[in-house]
Amino acid sequence: PISLTETDITLVCVSNAVGGTYAGNARWLGVPLAPLLRKAGVRSGVDQVLSVATDGMTISTPVATILERKDALIAVGMNGQPLPVEHGFPARMLVPGLYGYVSATKWVTRLTLTTFARQRAYWTQRGYAAQAPIKTESRIDVPRPLASVKAGQVAVAGVAWAPSRGIAAVEVSVDNGPWHQATLAATD
């Protein structure tokens, strides 16, 4: 039997601008997707999971990425609560390390094992890449964007993410000055 599991996942929209709000972390509860696909039977030559949402939206996800990631889920909960409607209740697909347009189907109703050559999802029909790993990104949260600060030392804080690789170091430069190593917060 396949049981529910919890994992922390960073979601990022490909449209997230530097300092943007289309990135976030949550603790997700769901069914691991790789064992589910293996149980369904992944045939030779299949390279895509085409997921369909209640509104007809289609998203294409590389099968290889799902099978490599033990933390890919069909999520039913978020941050200790049932999955909120705005985040895809009753079920949502999540594949860490990929931008949302190829990995994060809200209100998912169907998964089809197919090929990229046979079926194209909404965004790939419009010229977006079918393989979309999240790039290393960061955001400065303190001071707030466009804030006025007094001359002298100013605390700078933010977040950096690279879901498939992790973050080993962060450096900060001000006004094209020298780069300074940032202090990283402890992670669990």
Side-chain angles (χ1 to χ4, degrees), residues 128-185:
Y128 281 64
Q131 311 278 333
I134 296 173
K135 297 176 182 175
T136 301
E137 299 181 48
S138 63
R139 179 182 73 220
I140 294 176
D141 297 317
V142 176
R144 292 180 111 9
L146 304 176
S148 295
V149 295
K150 294 180 181 179
Q153 282 194 335
V154 174
V156 176
V159 294
W161 56 90
S164 294
R165 298 167 302 285
I167 299 294
V170 173
E171 295 181 336
V172 178
S173 171
V174 177
D175 294 334
N176 295 317
W179 289 92
H180 300 280
Q181 186 88 20
T183 303
L184 299 182

Side-chain angles (χ1 to χ4, degrees), residues 87-170:
H87 287 284
F89 177 86
R92 173 187 192 146
M93 191 168 112
L94 297 166
V95 182
L98 298 175
Y99 284 112
Y101 81 91
V102 296
S103 69
T105 311
K106 295 179 181 179
W107 314 288
V108 67
T109 60
R110 184 174 64 236
L111 302 177
T112 303
L113 288 161
T114 185
T115 65
F116 286 106
R118 190 173 309 135
Q119 290 184 282
R120 293 176 51 206
Y122 181 85
W123 288 111
T124 53
Q125 289 175 25
R126 286 154 179 79
Y128 281 64
Q131 311 278 333
I134 296 173
K135 297 176 182 175
T136 301
E137 299 181 48
S138 63
R139 179 182 73 220
I140 294 176
D141 297 317
V142 176
R144 292 180 111 9
L146 304 176
S148 295
V149 295
K150 294 180 181 179
Q153 282 194 335
V154 174
V156 176
V159 294
W161 56 90
S164 294
R165 298 167 302 285
I167 299 294
V170 173

Side-chain angles (χ1 to χ4, degrees), residues 12-111:
V12 182
C13 178
V14 72
S15 300
N16 192 53
V18 173
T21 59
Y22 298 136
N25 298 304
R27 176 155 289 180
W28 300 91
L29 174 71
V31 175
L33 192 49
L36 189 65
L37 292 184
R38 286 186 182 101
K39 191 170 187 143
V42 179
R43 293 186 183 147
S44 178
V46 167
D47 62 1
Q48 171 189 212
V49 170
L50 185 72
S51 51
V52 180
T54 57
D55 61 1
M57 174 60 124
T58 54
I59 291 183
S60 55
T61 308
V63 169
T65 304
I66 294 170
L67 296 178
E68 291 168 2
R69 302 289 312 228
K70 67 178 181 178
D71 49 0
L73 300 173
I74 296 295
V76 296
M78 179 181 170
N79 294 328
Q81 300 292 319
L83 191 61
V85 170
E86 64 270 18
H87 287 284
F89 177 86
R92 173 187 192 146
M93 191 168 112
L94 297 166
V95 182
L98 298 175
Y99 284 112
Y101 81 91
V102 296
S103 69
T105 311
K106 295 179 181 179
W107 314 288
V108 67
T109 60
R110 184 174 64 236
L111 302 177

